[in-house]
Amino acid sequence: MLVDYSKIIDYFSQTQIPENMLKRGQLVLNEFLKPIKILFEQKNVPKEPWSDDQIEFLLQTLSNMDTDKDSQASRVGEREARIASRLHLKTSAGFCHGVGRSGFLTAPQPKAPGGSIMYELTNYLARNFLKNFGLPNISKVIVIPLCTGMSLALSLGALKPEFRSKKTKILVPQVDHKSLLKAIALMGFTPKIIEGKVFGDAVRIPIEDIKENLDSECFAIISLTSFFPPREHDDIKEISKFAKDKKLLHIIINAYGVQSPEWMKLIRSAIDAGRVDVIIQSTDKNFLTPVGGAVIASPREEVITKISQAYAGRASATPVVNFLISMLSLGINGYQKLIEQQQFNRNLLEEKLRETAKTINERVLEIFNPVAVAVSLDNLKKEQLTALGGALYNLRVTGPRVYSSGESIFGTCCKYYPTPYIVMNAAIGAKQEDVSFAVERFEKAYKQVVL
Amino acid sequence: MLVDYSKIIDYFSQTQIPENMLKRGQLVLNEFLKPIKILFEQKNVPKEPWSDDQIEFLLQTLSNMDTDKDSQASRVGEREARIASRLHLKTSAGFCHGVGRSGFLTAPQPKAPGGSIMYELTNYLARNFLKNFGLPNISKVIVIPLCTGMSLALSLGALKPEFRSKKTKILVPQVDHKSLLKAIALMGFTPKIIEGKVFGDAVRIPIEDIKENLDSECFAIISLTSFFPPREHDDIKEISKFAKDKKLLHIIINAYGVQSPEWMKLIRSAIDAGRVDVIIQSTDKNFLTPVGGAVIASPREEVITKISQAYAGRASATPVVNFLISMLSLGINGYQKLIEQQQFNRNLLEEKLRETAKTINERVLEIFNPVAVAVSLDNLKKEQLTALGGALYNLRVTGPRVYSSGESIFGTCCKYYPTPYIVMNAAIGAKQEDVSFAVERFEKAYKQVVL
Amino acid sequence: MLVDYSKIIDYFSQTQIPENMLKRGQLVLNEFLKPIKILFEQKNVPKEPWSDDQIEFLLQTLSNMDTDKDSQASRVGEREARIASRLHLKTSAGFCHGVGRSGFLTAPQPKAPGGSIMYELTNYLARNFLKNFGLPNISKVIVIPLCTGMSLALSLGALKPEFRSKKTKILVPQVDHKSLLKAIALMGFTPKIIEGKVFGDAVRIPIEDIKENLDSECFAIISLTSFFPPREHDDIKEISKFAKDKKLLHIIINAYGVQSPEWMKLIRSAIDAGRVDVIIQSTDKNFLTPVGGAVIASPREEVITKISQAYAGRASATPVVNFLISMLSLGINGYQKLIEQQQFNRNLLEEKLRETAKTINERVLEIFNPVAVAVSLDNLKKEQLTALGGALYNLRVTGPRVYSSGESIFGTCCKYYPTPYIVMNAAIGAKQEDVSFAVERFEKAYKQVVL
Amino acid sequence: MLVDYSKIIDYFSQTQIPENMLKRGQLVLNEFLKPIKILFEQKNVPKEPWSDDQIEFLLQTLSNMDTDKDSQASRVGEREARIASRLHLKTSAGFCHGVGRSGFLTAPQPKAPGGSIMYELTNYLARNFLKNFGLPNISKVIVIPLCTGMSLALSLGALKPEFRSKKTKILVPQVDHKSLLKAIALMGFTPKIIEGKVFGDAVRIPIEDIKENLDSECFAIISLTSFFPPREHDDIKEISKFAKDKKLLHIIINAYGVQSPEWMKLIRSAIDAGRVDVIIQSTDKNFLTPVGGAVIASPREEVITKISQAYAGRASATPVVNFLISMLSLGINGYQKLIEQQQFNRNLLEEKLRETAKTINERVLEIFNPVAVAVSLDNLKKEQLTALGGALYNLRVTGPRVYSSGESIFGTCCKYYPTPYIVMNAAIGAKQEDVSFAVERFEKAYKQVVL
């Protein structure tokens, strides 16, 4: 009934355009459209990156299946994806109906067949992606239009014990990041925090300490991969065994851990070794989307179904579309290259910081971290540490953290951390110049401060 | 230091372009840019609609204040709003950093000064808008990147009694819509539902019944404005007095009620008469944005602050930007016109349905509703009612609801509703043709079914 | 080989999305894509307007057939449509190779199969459009990426007598518009201008005067339809007969005449009655495109072929694409409505000017013109006439012409025109408010000037 | 009167956003807007490339000075830049009024102050660019919305001897490219072609032969820089002296010569040594725009003025905007890098072709050319040469030319050229892979053909 895009040139065979030229046109068009077919057939992340034009063509096709685009419809519902401006089509990529239905995120939305296909496809790609990058043993994945913290809240709400349970506590190896604690508080639970301890330069939470803290009111445990020095990742495998043993819900916060094969490996073995219910990762930090989404994976399908059903209402399609855009514009090979660049940058960062540390008589701290590096700042006084932060800000270095041991302990994840330090990241998506200029500017700022 | 856009032509005074022509150019440019100045100065919804170009110019200006646009920066944080594709700039309107900081939605984000200004501005406009359209007595408003249901969940989480309270129940005048009940369940609370009763054609929940249901475990009550027939809005003023009297948290779900001055008036008097903590409205249903946002208002500023602080993490900026786009592209006068069109369409819908009802020997049900109209379907058998729904679907009428008294009672908000009926909406943003064609097609479908 | 867009949902039949929902999605998508098929099959202007999204989808499809989009190509030519910025894709709608080849405008360009299809299609639409709106008796039409004046130059260059001919003169019924005379001069020809004469209010060029001016050096005659008062259109039918009789090349300048069925009728009869070689119309003034194109039609195919072959080199595709965009976004019915609106506005203009004329003791001049109306300004002195122009400019009335008989005779197309006047247009695409506000402001300006 | 963008944050000083954060926002915004100020002040090509967003911001600003954007205007002209679709704003970058007025291209257009500024600015940049890249001794430059061939026609039309001159011939050192000869024919002139002669591998037109061909009917001479092997560039300096001596109009066709400092040097010395009236260069081939524009330069301002005034009518603004976009998105440094890449690629091409030639027992022809390289194909028979072209086409090598001595002599610019050959270009904007893959595929195709 419609134009057959494989034979588009047939319509022009009677024109003065010669056949071989038409065939070339068809060939080039096929090159453009072929990836869409492969995507529809395989529902996997493409090997090679798509162009923005290809992505827009796909989004345009799917969003034009939604009923708000139907020029023949009479709309007498109270929600019909009516919009005030065409700009809304840009911000929603055409998916004005959002995702979800009656409080079931992945439920197909009758008014949005195209949006429903888009979401389903995106979830397939998310699973395929994680399977490719370190988690072959997961079963189901959902892209959630909420960030990491709220995704934890949603997961807790969905998987909490039945009504009026006495169990309201959650074991939390110390984390200073506010979002996670807020998520727990929002849901009405109490975190039972196990304090970090200093081992050499590193801060770790010994599994024994965690085990000791278990009491009968605990129903869940949280563990973490990606972290800032001096805190190292948790002993996730042991926590996983412990969770299985004690029938605890086990949620892994893998905020920006997908970029690191080492962190991913921890999760993979944890799944194999014990109990992991939910693994939550940020879309912006791992997949280079704008802020606002998370990917929730589980080795058990029913867990994801429960989470999807716990969401109260419909949601913006944009965070989902953003993840889809990233998957298509990166492709497996594109992400692999980004990982390699990250690893190169991480090494460069350490190397350059070691050089700088030598010249200022400081040292790189010995802490395992595939993304970040910390350098001691023993020679600086409290005021100088404060001044250093300001100087870096003025030099337009974004993201470094300066810790002054005399001040707030916040960020070290322990009671007392003796060494003042600065942390910098070589995270995925950073450019080599980010790293090299940042270290140069750090050295410059340091010297300003010391003078 | 920068170009002074008021005197842009001065740079070209030495060219061959005559002065009067340059002045005309400046005049036209001023016309384009003037509304931006007024917006910045007054922080109110503009009287007249902006053009899409003007809106984009504003968004472009603000989003270019965020540090991810700084070509001179060295980025060594783990979240720097790096994006995989330029398409992400479209879906986020350039606000890749999202909104919020460390689990405080309205906290300024140091890496996103432009995004922070954008959000603050949007919240001012939201308050100004609601004050203009029926709620002069509110104090603070926040646009939330969550839909109505999740906004209820967030509000409950933020305003719930302190930890380990025995109070876990919420009074709910019967509502069949799943999202709200899911929101309550998600947060671990129990709804105490007060059943609807039939008064003539209308279903109402008498205030006495509500009062009777109060017990010591209840800490909150929910009331509703916008509703589908046969359920009418709640007696919000009396509920408000009751909430004040009994120290109950009172949340009004005003899902798509902003479009109706009559529903808004109920809320205004409720605020004056008793206790209203939170009023929640959907952005897509009231303000013609894509799905995914809500506007939460309160007569007390600290309530909004608590809700803003309860959010765990950062969030997508898109639902906020969408609301901003709607405000600017509609303007006060544009929305006023939409309201008038809605009222015209609502009357037209009733009139046309009355005519149709007469020809098929049915009647318009007597139920107060400024948006929807219901018609009895007494002459149809169960199978015919089912067939009617299907026929309307095939005729591409979206949004009507057909109730068959023999089947599920769902949607009537009561135990037994004797009259089968069909409901249609003339909601804000609908076109006159939506209404007239829908009724025509209903008549057509009816006749198909009867034959 | 590619995705079959008629069965796109088949790829998703194994998902959880129910079949009836998928079918609805396909139905809506079909609605979106159907017009493309009809266009390809019929190569006619669509009856109904397309949406911008549909137009972009078509342009995207075609431009992705050009070899500069081929990711598998190795490019070792000196012109490969390489571009410095993606913005160039917007300004060229993706057709970076332009149109034409080796100085033959409509020759298919081997590197641009998509662009070649686009151009061929556009020329079909142009012919179909003119056949629909008054010229069923033309044979071939070409859209030229040059404005009216340069199109005249090109036509003269293409159709001039063979080399070293003694014939270098062209008969021109007086026209004061510079472009046409410049076109003649550019090509090295001499216009033999036949002066206009005043008949009542109107300025006409009697056919007898034209005939008298013929000499042996003349090889062509130009005639004109659309004109400003006081000059009326030429007696095209008689000129056509005369051209046939005397073997003169006859070019009709129909600059903005397509909007008027009356002017078009003149051309139609001229074609039937005698000799018409070329009819030139502006794309911006008739078809609401940006400036820069013309449509050249001829009753004889070989004339168009010659013109196409006379063009030296390739050309920007943009003016061609602009015409295509207009055709699709207007459709036959859309243009018909615009014509009706134009006629309404023209009547309104005359009516309002008559009222105003009465109040200021002036009169509407009796001149045939389906677009413009002129009013006498007998009561104003020379300085007041100058002041009136300035006052209108300040009141932001664009486009009116004020003639002061004491000053330059320019614009009247005759030696002496006694009556000072003002002319205003109600051209196609103008809004009713343009007309009504312009007359109001004229009255205001008049009163300012008189005081 | 408008927002002062240097102090945009002052409007938000009373909000909760801290001052240092606001200041950072202003700093980042300044970085974005600063280049616009520098451009306005200096009217030179920027040193560093602009981002697409910056370019769009500039175009948006300027195009919003045109009167068609004035919401307060009443439009009663017949041409008011009314458009049928918002897509026209994209293709015209908002400059719907085009450029030029009454047949004077650079005349300011009263309805388009912004477009007039844009054009004037662009012409300044064009001059500045050429002065930077090899022609410090030019005086005036104009960007013409016509390609090279039509620009030659326009120049000839503008600069031809007065009416009815007996001088109608133009000396043309042999060129096989059709556009230029068509341009001459279009204007009614006769080319007097001086045949090329073979010197070793190269084809040249000796200055003596040119001098011999002069007769009293000649009024102009054309010379060429950029050329395909085996034809080399003309002896432009000697032609220039000859033109001065004989008072001939001298037009240099520098079609894609701007990319080569060596070709540009020829022109520079020609200007200094004798008479050069006009130098014409293509915008797409030199400046990476879509097809459709040319840059015309002259050492004498009045020459450009004449050409500008000869254009009959207004023209599309798009080719002008395209040139502006290229200038801003490349910058001086960006173009310098492209030149270096071109030189690298040219060397690579020669090197790789030498290797290949060795393996197939052929040789690189000894012809001076900074862009292209030719290789002999002595070992192939006529059918094989034809087959080679086909094979390369199928291998998606675009742009190579295969010459078979037995067939048409076209393209060699001489009477008889004994050696069959293939030519490939390493033109500006090509990627290294274009060159290396093309040579590989050539070798592959060669072997296919030989087998």
Side-chain angles (χ1 to χ4, degrees), chain A residues 395-436:
Chain A
L395 290 168
R396 281 143 104 165
V397 180
T398 62
R401 277 173 181 81
V402 175
Y403 164 70
S404 167
S405 53
E407 300 194 354
S408 157
I409 194 71
F410 183 83
T412 62
C413 297
C414 61
K415 224 169 180 170
Y416 177 69
Y417 190 78
T419 318
Y421 61 81
I422 181 170
V423 183
M424 290 184 182
N425 284 269
I428 198 150
K431 295 191 218 120
Q432 189 176 331
E433 298 79 53
D434 281 317
V435 166
S436 51

Side-chain angles (χ1 to χ4, degrees), chain B residues 192-253:
Chain B
K192 189 159 185 189
I193 293 169
I194 302 103
E195 274 176 10
K197 289 182 179 164
V198 182
F199 295 82
D201 288 332
V203 172
R204 297 179 196 133
I205 292 86
I207 183 72
E208 299 72 30
D209 293 12
I210 293 173
K211 288 183 176 173
E212 270 170 27
N213 271 277
L214 179 67
D215 68 46
S216 66
E217 287 178 61
C218 295
F219 72 96
I221 184 163
I222 285 174
S223 69
L224 299 109
T225 54
S226 55
F227 236 115
F228 274 101
R231 170 78 149 86
E232 287 183 351
H233 65 83
D234 286 320
D235 188 351
I236 295 181
K237 191 172 172 181
E238 289 307 312
I239 290 176
S240 170
K241 288 184 196 162
F242 173 62
K244 187 177 184 186
D245 197 32
K246 302 297 180 187
K247 299 204 169 91
L248 293 172
L249 178 68
H250 179 200
I251 297 180
I252 300 177
I253 303 297

